[in-house]
Amino acid sequence: MADTEKTYTATGRRKTAVARIWMTEGTGRIVINNRSFEEYLPTLPLQNEVLAPFQATNLVNKYDLKVVVQGSGIPGQADAIKLAVARALTEMDPELRGSLKAAGHLRRDPRAKELSLIHISEPTRRYAISYAVFCLK
């Protein structure tokens, strides 16, 4: 069975969120983790963030998305989905890369939570003190 519809896949990341999307031609239906788009992203700014790559390329309501996202919180997941959508659009049509890049949709936000070094330094300090006492004996 040959499927005539082409499916474009892409991955997006933000903080600890990872979004995998499958994009096919359709009517603009978006399903995120088997829930509707409006149910999963309840606020309008989060919904607009996901739709931003489509709006930048004038392709709103032309593709269906199936999204599987995990990790981080809802805002981080929305940003990961946005990056995945932009990557899928460039995979579909490389001519769109310029407009997506100019709008900043192809840039992965590198900010992440800073690691706490408190627990790392205490054992190291303890080892250094005990080692110094052992050497003096």
Side-chain angles (χ1 to χ4, degrees):
M1 288 185 195
D3 191 12
T4 57
E5 286 188 7
K6 177 88 169 107
T7 301
Y8 302 96
T9 61
T11 303
R13 293 180 187 84
R14 168 73 168 101
K15 293 187 178 180
T16 60
V18 178
R20 295 172 305 185
I21 70 160
W22 292 266
M23 186 173 75
T24 57
E25 288 190 31
T27 59
R29 191 172 67 98
I30 301 173
V31 177
I32 303 173
N33 290 347
N34 296 321
R35 291 164 54 190
S36 70
F37 171 64
E38 292 81 12
E39 181 185 345
Y40 196 83
L41 301 173
T43 63
L44 200 56
L46 292 175
Q47 294 173 7
N48 287 337
E49 186 172 354
V50 171
L51 295 174
F54 290 119
Q55 293 166 346
T57 56
N58 297 322
L59 293 173
V60 179
N61 294 333
K62 301 228 171 150
Y63 292 94
D64 290 340
L65 293 179
K66 180 183 181 291
V67 182
V68 175
V69 64
Q70 61 185 10
S72 193
I74 299 296
Q77 290 180 353
D79 205 22
I81 294 169
K82 177 182 79 167
L83 178 59
V85 168
R87 286 179 174 175
L89 287 171
T90 56
E91 180 184 337
M92 178 204 63
D93 184 7
E95 298 290 323
L96 299 174
R97 182 173 171 83
S99 61
L100 289 170
K101 192 169 182 180
H105 299 307
L106 288 175
R107 180 164 171 26
R108 184 197 186 279
D109 192 346
R111 295 176 296 164
K113 187 173 180 181
E114 188 174 333
L115 295 176
S116 174
L117 299 177
I118 294 171
H119 301 297
I120 294 173
S121 62
E122 284 181 16
T124 307
R125 193 177 320 127
R126 235 179 277 137
Y127 172 75
I129 293 171
S130 65
Y131 181 72
V133 171
F134 178 72
C135 289
L136 294 175
K137 289 184 179 181

